Amino acid sequence: MRKLALLCLLSFLSIFGAITARASIFSQLHGVVHDPQHRPIANAHIELHATNSAFSKSTTTAPDGSFTIPSLPLGDYILTISQPGFDTAKQSLTLASDTAPVLHIELHLGTVQQTTSVTTDANTSNVNTVTPTTLISREDIAQTPGADRTNSLAMITDYVPGAYITHDMLHMRGGHQVSWLLDGVQIPNTNIASNLGAQIDPKDIDYIETQRGSYTSDVGDRTYGVFNVVPRTGFERNRQAELILSAGSFLQTNSQINFGDHTEKFAYYASLNGNRSDYGLSPPTGVVIHDASNGYGGFASLLYNRTPKDQLRLITQLRADYFQIPFDPDPNSIGNQQFQSSGLRDGQHELDGTVAFSWLHTFNPSTVLQISPFFHYNRADYESNPNDTPVATTSDRSSTYAGAQANITADLFPTKPGRNTIQAGFYSFGQHDNYLFGATFNDGSGTAPFSTPDSASGGVIEEYVSDNYKPTSWLTFIAGLRLTHFQGSFTENEADPRFGTALRIPKLNWVFRGFYGRFYQPPPLLTFGCTAAAIANGTCSIQNFALSTGTSFAPLHGERDEEHQFGVQIPLRGWLLDADTFKTRVNNFLDHSNIGDSSIYFPVTVDGALIRAWELSLRSPRLWNFGQAHLAYSNQIAEQRGAITGGLICSPPNSAECDVDPNYTPVDHDQRNTLNIGFNATLPWRTTASTNVYYGSGFTNGGFDPDGPPADPRYPNPYLPQHTTFDLSLGKTFSEKLTASITATNVANRRVLLDNSLTFGGFHFNDPREIFGELRYRFRY
């Protein structure tokens, strides 16, 4: 705890001692207003309104016709420009995080009856960033089949290339360590794959922006994916509340009540939610047994514009979840010959709470400061029935994080806004972990039970500088450096440069982009529950247990990634195609393994990994005033090489049994082809329909031994079966207050063995068909 307190103190003191940088969900908007002869128009009124809420900002143009609006959350907006004697112009646009687009707007001379000139920038290419992004709104979440359920990640997997669920975990771009940013604040969680519950309820999200690699240096260290969450704020409400009730197959319900309001300076939003189902995790058979889940939580957002230059934001959430661990009831099944789950009656309790406070101060239109202290508590307790066979296992872990990030952005040339934007800042947190691992042996071996506690403290301090330079409107360069200092039981330091460029081809408006960057991921603090002294004198029971199974434990070190990426955006008549290819080389690849038949994840690092892919996403405009289509496709190869170097390692390392193939082999979550195609339609009679088709070519681990008979003769090939599912949702609005919908996921109820990693109950079949109805009732209070 002393180390934790010291690191927290350093975090807060550094706020006032360092030059700092921008927030990750915010953008700036620059523009120039001129007449048909390209003469600047001064004192034109600029009004910016959020498309889906009452949030707005206004300003006037300077004598040279320029304007700047800072501190804008990412999302969709309508820009209105008006001036006496000219027609009013409107323009729709979408703002991405960490960008500063520059608009050139021409006002036409007014007529006797002034008309409105409407243009749109929806689904256009973006030369302001080199990061491939996908922006999903709360309307997308509400319409996408099953996406608004608390523990669903369909809002990501249905729209983002290379994102899928296997062994109950989200995987993306060949890994599963992703970063969540809540209201621009990165919420730390260094523990790999130990939680099953949601970080945030999808119903509380206004927008979520998914970034896939090619990050500027102000965005963290997890190259696989970054999720920027803009929560609901209350600006979309006027003393309004919404009650959401649902019920369906597997006795499921997923309900919420939320309410919000706003004034000119203040907005609030709050919600309470609860869910339960007899189907929670992917089962090891086609039959769902001992698989109930339930959870409840709350969320609140407060936003106060104290002055035109000062904004205060507070985000807080708390939730608790419970998951039964499913099992295969047939002790003689093929699956139970590899992992005996028939005697297990396990469950996992989880608790997660976050508080993030932000102060945004605008010094002038081109310089904005953000300071954000935060606190995060995360707990995952895996507990067994004492009579479990062959082993009743307990694994309780809790982590406490406290720290801060501070951000400033400034234009080097205020007279040319957006030309050269520089950022510098830091991100830091202290962490304290407690861990308890125990086992009771009911296999008749006579092995004595044990229960081993452990704790550790550590933390991270990161500093960065980043420059975004636009010599012309069609060319952008980025360059930056991120410095990381990790302190735990050992110390690691890393310096990561990042470079990129985006080039727009005139007239075609195609945008080509390239990127090179390096990343460092701090490791989990605890590998297992034992002190170094206990290991040295041979009194560590878990170490002795591991040795009896041919494994042992070694310290975990940070993962280091090197990424190369190239991409292109192609707009055509309102359609936007985004294609990219990347290659990521990894040293100390963070993954997970399990000891014996414990069914519990232990973090490990593998000597190296190589991930290669090309990806494609496609978004349509509104077709025939009917609906919008989306497509996400990935062709990916995720491989690893060498031995496990940290965490649960093979023992003794120099034995013949621990020899590994030095060549690259597929990781257990390698899936070569992943495709999602969806359509959200607006139909007559105030009805809606949404569909999604998912195709996966199958995960590796079909035949375990290429030189002998497969472990399961039903799956003799290296990859498990391909699988396709179809989801459908139908909705109807009866009045302004009442909306109802019915949703079916995996309509055909096609079931296949999805994955046979021995975690959380052993093998994993894909989700069965689920049918449920939802009722939304809005009212004023």
Side-chain angles (χ1 to χ4, degrees):
M1 288 301 291
R2 186 175 301 170
K3 289 183 180 179
L4 174 65
L6 178 60
L7 281 164
C8 291
L9 178 62
L10 288 174
S11 298
F12 287 104
L13 289 178
S14 299
I15 292 174
F16 304 102
I19 298 175
T20 52
R22 61 183 168 179
S24 295
I25 67 162
F26 294 98
S27 178
Q28 296 187 65
L29 180 64
H30 306 288
V32 177
V33 181
H34 56 83
D35 66 11
Q37 282 73 44
H38 288 272
R39 293 174 299 194
I41 300 177
N43 298 316
H45 183 69
I46 309 295
E47 190 81 25
L48 187 73
H49 282 274
T51 302
N52 299 319
S53 75
F55 176 80
S56 66
K57 284 197 173 186
S58 62
T59 188
T60 57
T61 57
D64 63 354
S66 66
F67 67 89
T68 296
I69 305 178
S71 305
L72 294 171
L74 63 89
D76 298 313
Y77 292 89
I78 299 292
L79 181 70
T80 304
I81 307 98
S82 59
Q83 173 76 334
F86 293 87
D87 288 345
T88 297
K90 289 188 176 182
Q91 182 162 328
S92 63
L93 65 153
T94 299
L95 295 179
S97 63
D98 286 351
T99 58
V102 179
L103 305 179
H104 291 267
I105 301 159
E106 180 178 315
L107 293 186
H108 298 282
L109 293 175
T111 57
V112 176
Q113 283 189 328
Q114 281 195 337
T115 59
T116 300
S117 174
V118 180
T119 59
T120 178
D121 271 348
N123 282 357
T124 59
S125 56
N126 187 356
V127 75
N128 299 294
T129 180
V130 301
T131 305
T133 60
T134 303
L135 185 66
I136 301 109
S137 69
R138 70 171 182 267
E139 285 76 16
D140 294 328
I141 295 172
Q143 286 190 332
T144 302
D148 66 347
R149 291 188 291 179
T150 299
N151 288 317
S152 173
L153 290 172
M155 62 182 176
I156 296 172
T157 57
D158 284 10
Y159 289 88
V160 179
Y164 45 74
I165 302 291
T166 183
H167 41 259
D168 301 302
M169 296 289 176
L170 174 67
H171 291 72
M172 187 169 162
R173 285 197 154 201
H176 45 62
Q177 300 87 261
V178 295
S179 295
W180 288 85
L181 283 77
L182 186 57
D183 201 42
V185 181
Q186 182 173 328
I187 306 303
N189 188 0
T190 62
N191 296 287
I192 175 175
S194 61
N195 286 87
L196 297 163
Q199 187 84 7
I200 182 173
D201 192 312
K203 294 183 285 294
D204 294 322
I205 294 174
D206 195 23
Y207 287 91
I208 180 169
E209 179 192 61
T210 301
Q211 300 184 6
R212 311 189 312 274
S214 299
Y215 311 122
T216 54
S217 60
D218 66 315
V219 178
D221 309 300
R222 297 188 170 184
T223 183
Y224 305 104
V226 172
F227 304 126
N228 293 339
V229 174
V230 181
R232 299 175 73 169
T233 62
F235 271 111
E236 73 278 6
R237 301 292 182 85
N238 184 14
R239 293 186 65 84
Q240 290 176 310
E242 184 177 44
L243 177 64
I244 303 171
L245 301 173
S246 71
S249 52
F250 296 99
L251 298 178
Q252 68 174 283
T253 182
N254 197 293
S255 303
Q256 185 192 67
I257 184 168
N258 59 64
F259 49 91
D261 190 19
H262 75 278
T263 64
E264 184 178 351
K265 288 190 172 184
F266 180 71
Y268 69 86
Y269 169 87
S271 69
L272 295 171
N273 65 77
N275 68 89
R276 66 94 46 213
S277 176
D278 283 345
Y279 177 76
L281 305 180
S282 300
T285 68
V287 180
V288 179
I289 300 174
H290 193 262
D291 199 12
S293 66
N294 60 73
Y296 55 90
F299 178 87
S301 167
L302 304 175
L303 192 155
Y304 177 48
N305 294 309
R306 182 176 175 272
T307 70
K309 291 188 174 183
D310 293 283
Q311 184 181 93
L312 306 176
R313 307 168 70 97
L314 177 68
I315 303 294
T316 180
Q317 69 90 20
L318 178 67
R319 63 172 301 101
D321 293 280
Y322 172 72
F323 300 90
Q324 288 182 334
I325 308 301
F327 62 87
D328 181 349
D330 180 5
N332 299 315
S333 68
I334 294 176
N336 275 329
Q337 303 311 303
Q338 299 172 62
F339 175 73
Q340 184 56 251
S341 70
S342 63
L344 304 183
R345 302 296 183 269
D346 301 347
Q348 177 153 299
H349 291 270
E350 299 184 5
L351 183 67
D352 190 272
T354 301
V355 179
F357 174 80
S358 294
W359 170 46
L360 276 75
H361 178 70
T362 303
F363 293 100
N364 55 59
S366 62
T367 307
V368 179
L369 168 73
Q370 178 193 359
I371 295 174
S372 300
F374 57 82
F375 174 84
H376 182 212
Y377 177 81
N378 179 267
R379 181 166 188 160
D381 293 346
Y382 185 101
E383 297 170 344
S384 301
N385 185 299
N387 298 316
D388 273 4
T389 57
V391 182
T393 310
T394 299
S395 178
D396 296 345
R397 179 200 53 78
S398 65
S399 299
T400 303
Y401 307 85
Q405 69 180 39
N407 311 289
I408 203 172
T409 184
D411 284 328
L412 291 186
F413 305 106
T415 58
K416 297 181 178 180
R419 171 64 64 87
N420 195 346
T421 306
I422 192 166
Q423 309 91 32
F426 86 98
Y427 173 80
S428 180
F429 64 85
Q431 175 184 354
H432 182 76
D433 281 11
N434 288 304
Y435 187 51
L436 175 69
F437 187 90
T440 301
F441 298 88
N442 299 313
D443 56 356
S445 65
T447 306
F450 64 85
S451 180
T452 305
D454 196 8
S455 64
S457 295
V460 171
I461 298 176
E462 297 181 310
E463 299 172 343
Y464 61 87
V465 61
S466 182
D467 190 20
N468 184 300
Y469 176 56
K470 294 188 66 175
T472 72
S473 62
W474 46 267
L475 181 63
T476 299
F477 295 104
I478 70 159
L481 180 67
R482 191 176 185 94
L483 304 176
T484 302
H485 172 76
F486 169 77
Q487 179 69 56
S489 58
F490 55 89
T491 298
E492 288 188 325
N493 295 290
E494 179 75 5
D496 292 327
R498 301 175 192 179
F499 306 95
T501 185
L503 171 67
R504 184 176 64 217
I505 305 300
K507 296 184 180 180
L508 283 176
N509 287 323
W510 292 18
V511 172
F512 291 89
R513 60 179 185 263
F515 175 85
Y516 168 82
R518 285 164 43 188
F519 305 85
Y520 167 81
Q521 286 190 53
L525 291 182
L526 291 172
T527 307
F528 64 104
C530 260
T531 64
I535 296 174
N537 61 28
T539 60
C540 176
S541 300
I542 185 175
Q543 173 82 341
N544 295 336
F545 175 49
L547 290 171
S548 70
T549 65
T551 57
S552 184
F553 291 98
L556 288 163
H557 289 266
E559 175 176 312
R560 289 171 168 83
D561 308 292
E562 180 182 79
E563 179 193 341
H564 303 77
Q565 180 161 286
F566 301 92
V568 61
Q569 283 187 324
I570 301 176
L572 180 63
R573 297 181 180 179
W575 293 77
L576 182 63
L577 183 146
D578 192 312
D580 66 77
T581 180
F582 73 88
K583 179 170 68 175
T584 302
R585 293 188 179 275
V586 185
N587 289 318
N588 274 357
F589 179 58
L590 274 169
D591 207 344
H592 53 76
S593 186
N594 62 305
I595 181 172
D597 288 349
S598 65
S599 188
I600 297 173
Y601 286 114
F602 283 91
V604 299
T605 52
V606 182
D607 181 53
L610 177 64
I611 303 158
R612 295 161 290 165
W614 70 270
E615 304 171 328
L616 183 147
S617 65
L618 181 67
R619 293 291 293 261
S620 79
R622 191 160 182 81
L623 301 174
W624 312 292
N625 200 31
F626 176 68
Q628 214 171 9
H630 58 89
L631 178 149
Y633 172 73
S634 172
N635 175 264
Q636 176 182 277
I637 302 173
E639 298 174 305
Q640 66 184 34
R641 60 166 170 76
I644 296 177
T645 58
L648 186 67
I649 66 172
C650 184
S651 181
N654 57 357
S655 65
E657 291 78 7
C658 293
D659 279 345
V660 296
D661 188 342
N663 299 314
Y664 284 102
T665 57
V667 299
D668 63 349
H669 49 260
D670 177 52
Q671 179 167 257
R672 296 300 164 93
N673 293 283
T674 308
L675 173 67
N676 279 276
I677 302 176
F679 193 85
N680 297 335
T682 302
L683 305 174
W685 304 296
R686 304 177 74 182
T687 59
T688 60
S690 299
T691 63
N692 190 79
V693 177
Y694 162 75
Y695 167 79
S697 60
F699 296 98
T700 189
N701 287 352
F704 282 95
D705 185 359
D707 299 321
D712 189 335
R714 295 174 299 173
Y715 308 106
N717 299 313
Y719 283 81
L720 294 170
Q722 60 184 355
H723 44 284
T724 303
T725 59
F726 172 70
D727 304 332
L728 174 66
S729 182
L730 300 172
K732 178 171 177 56
T733 300
F734 294 95
S735 67
E736 182 182 348
K737 294 183 176 181
L738 185 63
T739 302
S741 65
I742 185 168
T743 299
T745 58
N746 192 7
V747 174
N749 199 30
R750 171 153 172 79
R751 308 298 306 283
V752 299
L753 178 64
L754 190 71
D755 171 71
N756 52 16
S757 298
L758 306 183
T759 46
F760 290 121
F763 289 5
H764 306 271
F765 272 67
N766 68 318
D767 296 341
R769 177 172 55 225
E770 296 181 78
I771 302 174
F772 57 93
E774 182 178 87
L775 189 70
R776 291 175 176 254
Y777 177 67
R778 291 167 286 276
F779 59 93
R780 295 184 181 272
Y781 56 90

